[in-house]
Amino acid sequence: MRVVLITGAASGLGWQLARACHARGDALLLTDIDASGLSARADELGSERVMALAGDITEPELHERLLDGCRQRFGRLDVLINNAGITHRSPTLRTDPAVFRKVMAVDYHAPLELTLAALPLLRESRGQVVAIGSMAGWMPVLGRAGYCAAKSALGQAFEVLRAEIARDGIGLLMVYPSFLDTPIDRNALGGDGKPAGHARSTIGKIRSADWMASLILDALQQRRERLFPDRGSWLASLLWRLAPALYHRKMSQRFAGEIS
């Protein structure tokens, strides 16, 4: 039986991952900032193989509680899934710097710091780390400067980390999804830090969270290093590299509402 730690587990992709892992027989340690939502999810799964600890993923104190929980309740950690995330929809020139700092704290600093803290347990199990990146880390998406920067930093840091932890037998799966039907966009921040007041612009097909969760677990089983689930977004990232002026024209047309 694997022990899987999932952040941002009360809704969206994190919840679908929790459901799918539980159905496969895994023991789960779940965390989310939404304490009531997390408690309800844990009750839904049952307590036999599930432990839930609510808190702010940017706080090192929560990292300590999570890893202590792994040791005391389960005695091991096999998979760490860094799923918790936040985004914003706001022009860069009209975004409070505090919004950029918050997005960077949740989407970059927290997963890196939690992963580093979890390495002793993962070395023991020769386990795996999952980091949920984004195609926005590969190509600019208008109105998402902070999110693009955070996901780019996440991808670069974890690609460097991959070579170092491979020596200890720890696998690392970077996931690069495109637009998913999850609360992260419904709860996006505006430039003032309050909920964004306009609908999001998208590229390509909006995929479901359960579809994405299934692909991630299959990739974990195969011990893959990277997952690019959306071919259209992957091609768009190539367009950005090969013809950046054309990409910007297309993006400006599609995302005009994000910068007006």
Side-chain angles (χ1 to χ4, degrees):
M1 180 177 68
R2 294 186 312 178
V3 177
V4 183
L5 168 53
I6 305 174
T7 69
S11 62
L13 179 57
W15 169 236
Q16 294 303 328
L17 284 164
R19 291 180 66 234
C21 287
H22 191 265
R24 296 185 184 202
D26 296 331
L28 302 177
L29 177 51
L30 308 178
T31 187
D32 200 287
I33 199 169
D34 177 5
S36 60
L38 183 66
S39 178
R41 295 305 197 188
D43 289 344
E44 186 174 340
L45 294 175
S47 61
E48 182 179 352
R49 289 184 280 119
V50 179
M51 181 179 179
L53 290 173
D56 184 342
I57 198 61
T58 66
E59 294 293 334
E61 183 270 338
L62 176 61
H63 301 177
E64 293 178 11
R65 288 198 294 128
L66 290 170
L67 299 175
D68 285 345
C70 279
R71 293 185 185 96
Q72 295 171 14
R73 174 72 182 273
F74 303 114
R76 60 185 293 127
L77 175 62
D78 297 284
V79 181
L80 167 59
I81 302 181
N82 293 292
N83 167 74
I86 191 171
T87 190
H88 71 102
R89 292 198 299 273
S90 53
T92 310
L93 298 179
R94 296 201 297 273
T95 301
D96 190 312
V99 172
F100 294 138
R101 289 194 293 270
K102 183 172 184 178
V103 172
M104 186 65 74
V106 175
D107 292 353
Y108 168 62
H109 290 291
L112 179 59
E113 291 168 14
L114 176 57
T115 298
L116 293 175
L119 288 182
L121 278 169
L122 292 167
R123 286 191 187 102
E124 293 174 8
S125 65
R126 298 178 69 85
Q128 294 173 276
V129 178
V130 180
I132 307 298
S134 172
M135 293 307 294
W138 287 58
M139 58 189 185
V141 180
L142 299 187
R144 315 287 201 286
Y147 184 74
C148 290
K151 290 300 186 180
S152 178
L154 177 73
Q156 291 295 325
F158 274 68
E159 288 292 354
V160 171
L161 180 63
R162 178 195 306 286
E164 300 177 35
I165 63 178
R167 294 176 294 184
D168 295 317
I170 302 172
L172 196 157
L173 172 64
M174 279 298 309
V175 183
Y176 294 102
S178 181
F179 291 94
L180 299 176
D181 183 14
T182 68
I184 187 173
D185 270 296
R186 293 194 291 274
N187 298 330
L189 301 176
D192 58 0
K194 298 176 181 178
H198 63 283
R200 65 174 174 170
S201 302
T202 62
I203 299 174
K205 185 176 181 180
I206 299 177
R207 304 285 191 169
S208 67
D210 60 336
W211 171 84
M212 186 74 259
S214 178
L215 292 181
I216 291 171
L217 295 189
D218 288 346
L220 269 175
Q221 187 172 358
Q222 299 162 18
R223 293 190 76 93
R224 291 176 57 183
E225 295 186 343
R226 297 167 195 86
L227 176 59
F228 299 92
D230 189 311
R231 181 175 175 82
S233 294
W234 181 75
L235 291 173
S237 73
L238 290 181
L239 178 63
W240 160 242
R241 283 160 170 72
L242 298 174
L246 176 59
Y247 174 91
H248 257 299
R249 286 199 299 273
K250 295 294 185 182
M251 176 64 68
S252 297
Q253 293 168 2
R254 189 66 178 266
F255 281 66
E258 304 286 353
I259 56 176
S260 60

